[in-house]
Amino acid sequence: MRASMAALLSLLLPALLCLTAVSPQLAGADECGKAPPLPPVDANGLERQMLDLSKLSDDPFPAVTRVLFTEHDMKARQFVKSLMAHIGLTVREDPMGNIFGRWEGSDPSAGTVLTGSHCDAIPLAGLYDGVLGVLGGIEALAALKRAGFKPRRSLEVMMFTSEEPTRFGLGC
């Protein structure tokens, strides 16, 4: 599981670097076309976070059931907010309940790069269902911060509300 998470994040990090860089060197290539080393991701920490989040379920592990606005969904939402705040993101929630963690870039006019997914889960879903897109995004930003990266564009991780809308008898 750790290898697949690290592989996914190795795809996300260059894209974030390229889209947000202050200089071409930070964007992913020097004059010789060689890419700089990517900041290391904490695959063990990401795996632990995914397992912790999977325990916020109406069904026993390994199944995950987290229907929108249930007790477990609300705890999962708080868990994600706490992870965002822990790495220094500015956390906000819109009127629909979408959660955003923002890392302000140096150029407010440059636009924002956003990544994310959902943490609600249809009955008996799996561990990765949407969660890796949220927690992986948080870890990608944490890795960039640990490496001392300074983004030109603002970066955000978003947790969508009700991507799996089974709460009201609707499904995707």
Side-chain angles (χ1 to χ4, degrees):
M1 181 159 70
R2 263 179 251 130
S4 63
M5 288 186 287
L8 177 69
L9 289 177
S10 72
L11 297 173
L12 180 59
L13 283 170
L16 289 173
L17 286 169
C18 184
L19 290 169
T20 64
V22 175
S23 71
Q25 286 75 27
L26 290 177
D30 62 18
E31 294 79 38
C32 301
K34 292 171 66 176
L38 294 176
V41 297
D42 181 4
N44 290 330
L46 181 57
E47 180 180 24
R48 187 174 50 257
Q49 292 168 359
M50 290 183 67
L51 290 172
D52 288 347
L53 189 54
S54 74
K55 294 173 187 170
L56 300 174
S57 172
D58 295 333
D59 287 299
F61 185 82
V64 176
T65 299
R66 203 168 21 253
V67 177
L68 185 66
F69 300 133
T70 61
E71 177 184 355
H72 287 117
D73 179 61
M74 298 306 286
K75 287 180 179 178
R77 297 163 69 71
Q78 187 55 47
F79 179 77
V80 168
K81 288 179 185 178
S82 70
L83 293 176
M84 290 174 168
H86 178 73
I87 67 163
L89 302 180
T90 302
V91 180
R92 69 179 172 87
E93 190 169 341
D94 72 13
M96 292 298 297
N98 297 308
I99 298 169
F100 301 82
R102 183 177 180 89
W103 182 8
E104 200 66 45
S106 62
D107 182 356
S109 67
T112 301
V113 177
L114 182 137
T115 187
S117 192
H118 64 98
C119 286
D120 59 320
I122 61 172
L124 306 174
L127 176 70
Y128 296 102
D129 185 16
V131 172
L132 187 55
V134 177
L135 300 184
I138 294 170
E139 174 52 29
L141 296 190
L144 291 171
K145 282 178 168 262
R146 288 190 301 267
F149 179 73
K150 304 290 184 208
R152 182 175 66 85
R153 295 176 187 261
S154 296
L155 302 173
E156 287 190 348
V157 177
M158 178 182 185
M159 186 183 104
F160 298 98
T161 292
S162 193
E163 196 278 340
E164 306 274 10
T166 55
R167 174 76 168 167
F168 304 107
L170 304 171
C172 295

